[in-house]
Amino acid sequence: MNLKTLLASLMLFVAVGIVPCKAVDIIPYPQSVEMTEVVFDKANLENVKYKKDKKLAPEAYELQIKKNGIVIKSSTPAGRFYAEQSLAQLADDIVMYCGTIKDEPRYAWRGLMLDESRHFFGKEQVLKFLDLMGRYKLNRFHWHLSDDQGWRIEIKAYPNLTTIGGIGCNTDRNAPAKYYTQDEIREIVAYAAERNIMVVPEIDMPGHASAFVKVFPEFDGKHRTVNPANEKLYEVLSTIYQELADLFPGSYLHIGGDEVHKGAWGELPGMKELMAKENFKHVNEVEEYFGRRLCDIITSKGKNVVAWDDLIDSGTNPEGKVVMWWRSDQPQLLQEGADKGFDMIICPDGPFYLDYVQDIRDKVGHLVDRQWVNEMKEIYEYEMLDNPKVIGAQSNIWTEKVVTTERLEYMVFPRLIALAEKAWTRSENLNYDCFLKRLANEYNYLNTRSLYYYDFRESMRRVEPRR
Ligand code: ACM
């Protein structure tokens, strides 16, 4: 664009009150863009030269679109993959221009959590989500594989965990057992790795443990918990985590730790003895003890711990541990976790949870009766805590009220795309109105994937799937 046309278009924008959006149609928006008015001949799209540039950060890339071909610079396969994603998005536009894009992420952890205990969606749906995550440069798939309603991962040492623990879901206690075999897990993990996505499995303990307790009644801690005073429990968990450590090559395992109902713990077998031995005055200290024991098991397998923010007070050594701040009604926990030295992920239920409705007119969702709406704009414009211990952002989808894949897609998209831009793009390049323009173009691509997304454009609004 020459100076005259630039000034003219700027004046036009001001005159009609439209935000002048930046130059390329890429989500998440890249860090630095220098485009020209020279049209790129798409016949040259296959002519790509790859160059290693050790100076670039692990996920960074440089994409040069020249008249007669493409140059991609990166220091890792991840950077190369992300350059290819940007290129694919540019190539979706009718006209493509020559220019240079230099890009790297704002945050190292850019995640989605999927709950498959409450309802199970299966391999094809997970692969579809991984594909889309890769396109938007998300790199952590946090997989909630156990909860009260079902245990969803085959453990060779304890087959009953799936054949019995896998029976039921949130809408049908007797639904046939559904779970992932270890072969399926390996296939999914490999598929994710090709897209630079680490799969982080979660076994939720000591609360949300009914499916586990159904198989191991001797560890029952009542109110959907396990009994931390039973020493044998740690042996079983160590065996389970060993299988997880072998199956998931990523460096993290998630131990859960949220919403522990300890009302009956004082009376559990072995509890008085444990509390006397450890000099505990309150069962809260038993929960902290359990957290520390689990952390030690994970560390002994050579893995790093991820946990919900309930772990912050456990007294565990924070070194290398990731805590997910989810309780938006306790904002101090985020700073507290960072101050203690944990790596913090920002995923507050308000507004980052995708199980809450996105549109006040929708009827099914968590706390919909209290009119709790998590709008896409709130995710996009959320003010992130400026602290080096904040390493990322994540959206979570709990599936108590998500039965079908259609509803799952409707709840996740496009809010996840807004989260992806939030987690990748530097704040100075974030502009919600411009994002919506790029998103509207992106819907053409989502249509090719037969994705049942929510459409923010009033005239295109789709029906909310109720199940
Ligand atoms: C949670 O939402 N209970 C982590």
Side-chain angles (χ1 to χ4, degrees):
M1 208 181 265
N2 64 32
L3 193 62
K4 231 163 90 188
T5 45
L6 178 71
L7 280 175
S9 47
L10 273 178
M11 276 160 59
L12 183 70
F13 283 134
V14 172
V16 294
I18 298 171
V19 189
C21 292
K22 297 200 179 131
V24 283
D25 210 4
I26 295 177
I27 302 176
Y29 200 83
Q31 187 170 1
S32 138
V33 175
E34 284 174 30
M35 301 312 280
T36 69
E37 284 186 322
V38 180
V39 174
F40 176 74
D41 180 354
K42 287 195 197 174
N44 290 324
L45 262 177
E46 302 293 309
N47 182 17
V48 184
K49 285 197 179 65
Y50 293 97
K51 293 189 176 167
K52 198 164 176 108
D53 183 345
K54 286 194 190 142
K55 290 193 295 299
L56 292 176
E59 295 186 306
Y61 67 89
E62 186 175 321
L63 173 62
Q64 297 172 355
I65 302 154
K66 301 182 175 185
K67 242 180 133 52
N68 52 0
I70 311 282
V71 177
I72 286 177
K73 292 185 186 171
S74 63
S75 64
T76 64
R80 171 179 167 155
F81 174 74
Y82 288 146
E84 288 168 346
Q85 300 316 301
S86 294
L87 182 60
Q89 289 191 23
L90 290 175
D92 282 347
D93 287 345
I94 296 166
V95 182
M96 209 178 138
Y97 293 95
C98 294
T100 299
I101 291 168
K102 294 179 183 170
D103 202 7
E104 65 179 312
R106 178 177 184 193
Y107 291 110
W109 184 297
R110 307 177 299 279
L112 167 69
M113 186 222 71
L114 173 64
D115 164 17
E116 286 211 85
S117 175
R118 274 56 178 265
H119 287 102
F120 184 87
F121 303 98
K123 187 178 83 177
E124 291 312 316
Q125 190 63 33
V126 168
L127 297 182
K128 185 174 180 182
F129 272 18
L130 290 171
D131 247 354
L132 290 161
M133 286 176 69
R135 182 169 173 91
Y136 305 113
K137 303 186 175 82
L138 292 163
N139 67 354
R140 299 284 184 269
F141 178 57
H142 167 183
W143 210 358
H144 190 76
L145 288 166
S146 80
D147 211 297
D148 299 318
Q149 291 82 344
W151 182 283
R152 306 297 182 204
I153 176 167
E154 179 189 20
I155 300 296
K156 299 276 187 200
Y158 307 113
N160 287 351
L161 276 174
T162 40
T163 53
I164 295 172
I167 293 173
C169 63
N170 202 56
T171 39
D172 179 1
R173 291 166 62 106
N174 301 313
K178 287 201 174 152
Y179 59 90
Y180 291 99
T181 64
Q182 293 205 351
D183 280 345
E184 285 174 318
I185 298 274
R186 274 186 281 271
E187 186 185 335
I188 289 167
V189 164
Y191 194 87
E194 284 166 14
R195 288 155 183 76
N196 189 44
I197 297 167
M198 183 196 294
V199 183
V200 181
E202 178 188 354
I203 299 300
D204 204 353
M205 296 265 167
H208 294 274
S210 304
F212 176 81
V213 166
K214 188 155 76 168
V215 180
F216 291 101
E218 63 272 37
F219 300 139
D220 190 2
K222 310 282 187 257
H223 307 304
R224 310 191 298 282
T225 68
V226 291
N227 175 5
N230 189 329
E231 194 56 31
K232 279 249 167 342
L233 173 66
Y234 301 98
E235 279 173 37
V236 171
L237 291 179
S238 177
T239 304
I240 290 172
Y241 277 117
Q242 186 59 56
E243 290 199 26
L244 292 185
D246 294 340
L247 268 177
F248 294 90
S251 46
Y252 291 104
L253 297 177
H254 198 307
I255 59 170
D258 59 322
E259 298 176 311
V260 187
H261 301 291
K262 302 175 284 283
W265 278 16
E267 304 307 317
L268 295 177
M271 189 57 80
K272 288 196 171 56
E273 292 81 350
L274 172 71
M275 291 183 70
K277 180 168 155 245
E278 299 288 339
N279 204 18
F280 293 153
K281 303 280 173 284
H282 195 279
V283 286
N284 285 350
E285 292 168 272
V286 177
E287 181 181 353
E288 293 161 8
Y289 163 87
F290 180 81
R292 292 194 298 276
R293 291 285 304 263
L294 232 49
C295 285
D296 291 346
I297 290 174
I298 303 297
T299 309
S300 75
K301 315 283 180 206
K303 298 288 186 180
N304 293 323
V305 172
V306 188
W308 298 112
D309 60 31
D310 315 60
L311 187 77
I312 287 175
D313 290 328
S314 68
T316 186
N317 174 4
E319 181 78 29
K321 296 195 176 80
V322 170
V323 162
M324 296 186 156
W325 172 62
W326 68 276
R327 288 179 284 184
S328 60
D329 62 342
Q330 298 195 47
Q332 78 287 355
L333 286 175
L334 176 59
Q335 185 71 53
E336 217 176 293
D339 288 348
K340 282 197 167 151
F342 291 103
D343 289 333
M344 300 301 293
I345 307 296
I346 295 193
C347 59
D349 50 0
F352 283 24
Y353 275 27
L354 305 179
D355 43 317
Y356 296 82
V357 294
Q358 57 207 316
D359 187 311
I360 188 76
R361 293 166 296 178
D362 283 349
K363 297 285 181 275
V364 185
H366 198 44
L367 297 188
V368 76
D369 50 331
R370 288 186 225 165
Q371 305 220 326
W372 183 328
V373 181
N374 281 346
E375 286 182 1
M376 180 162 69
K377 188 173 198 284
E378 293 175 82
I379 298 176
Y380 196 89
E381 297 190 336
Y382 189 82
E383 191 150 340
M384 302 289 280
L385 177 70
D386 187 15
N387 186 308
K389 293 306 286 181
V390 171
I391 63 158
Q394 179 169 297
S395 268
N396 301 329
I397 173 87
W398 302 102
T399 59
E400 286 94 336
K401 293 183 175 151
V402 184
V403 181
T404 64
T405 54
E406 201 176 56
R407 179 168 170 77
L408 179 67
E409 294 180 354
Y410 181 85
M411 298 307 277
V412 171
F413 289 95
R415 284 184 290 183
L416 184 66
I417 303 180
L419 183 278
E421 182 146 307
K422 182 93 206 157
W424 178 280
T425 304
R426 289 189 192 258
S427 44
E428 61 270 23
N429 286 331
L430 292 175
N431 178 305
Y432 190 64
D433 292 328
C434 296
F435 168 71
L436 288 185
K437 284 184 188 160
R438 282 177 285 120
L439 183 59
N441 290 342
E442 188 62 9
Y443 280 170
N444 294 329
Y445 172 79
L446 298 184
N447 291 338
T448 69
R449 303 302 311 266
S450 306
L451 194 81
Y452 195 86
Y453 54 85
Y454 165 86
D455 200 323
F456 67 89
R457 297 167 298 184
E458 188 61 32
S459 62
M460 311 287 272
R461 194 164 179 270
R462 292 170 159 183
V463 176
E464 174 200 22
R466 297 292 173 92
R467 275 170 56 79

